[in-house]
Amino acid sequence: MRASGTNVLGAMQVIPQVAPLVEAARGRFGFITSQMGHIGSVSSGGAWLYRVSKAALNMANKSLSVDVRSDGVTCVVINPGWVKTDMGGTGAEITA
């Protein structure tokens, strides 16, 4: 599965598998997102599949949070920033 598929489809396939355990523990779901998935701040083009997959992950997280809120479960997305990876490049601000 390409990274774009992993970003949202991987999470969506795992959530139903672990949701009962997280709910029983009144635990937390956490997902790694990206500023590139924030629709309101788009100022450049490119990386369409990646951007769409992160935006979809953000929406999946928001929808999940509404579903599990009454069970005491917290859902968050975390944007680590611009990371020096093969994708982020050497000019990125932080190291993995």
Side-chain angles (χ1 to χ4, degrees), residues 8-94:
V8 68
L9 297 178
M12 292 181 73
Q13 290 173 345
V14 169
I15 289 168
Q17 304 292 322
V18 300
L21 299 171
V22 175
E23 290 169 357
R26 299 177 74 83
R28 296 172 185 87
F29 283 100
F31 304 98
I32 303 297
T33 191
S34 169
Q35 183 65 30
M36 292 178 77
H38 184 257
I39 295 169
S41 64
V42 173
S43 61
S44 64
W48 293 11
L49 289 175
Y50 180 77
R51 290 174 188 269
V52 168
S53 70
K54 289 298 187 178
L57 175 64
N58 295 346
M59 178 56 78
N61 179 75
K62 179 59 180 172
S63 295
L64 175 64
S65 74
V66 171
D67 289 343
V68 298
R69 181 180 311 143
S70 64
D71 298 323
V73 174
T74 302
C75 300
V76 297
V77 290
I78 301 165
N79 173 14
W82 187 19
V83 182
K84 290 180 184 178
T85 62
D86 290 344
M87 182 182 163
T90 57
E93 299 166 346
I94 59 176

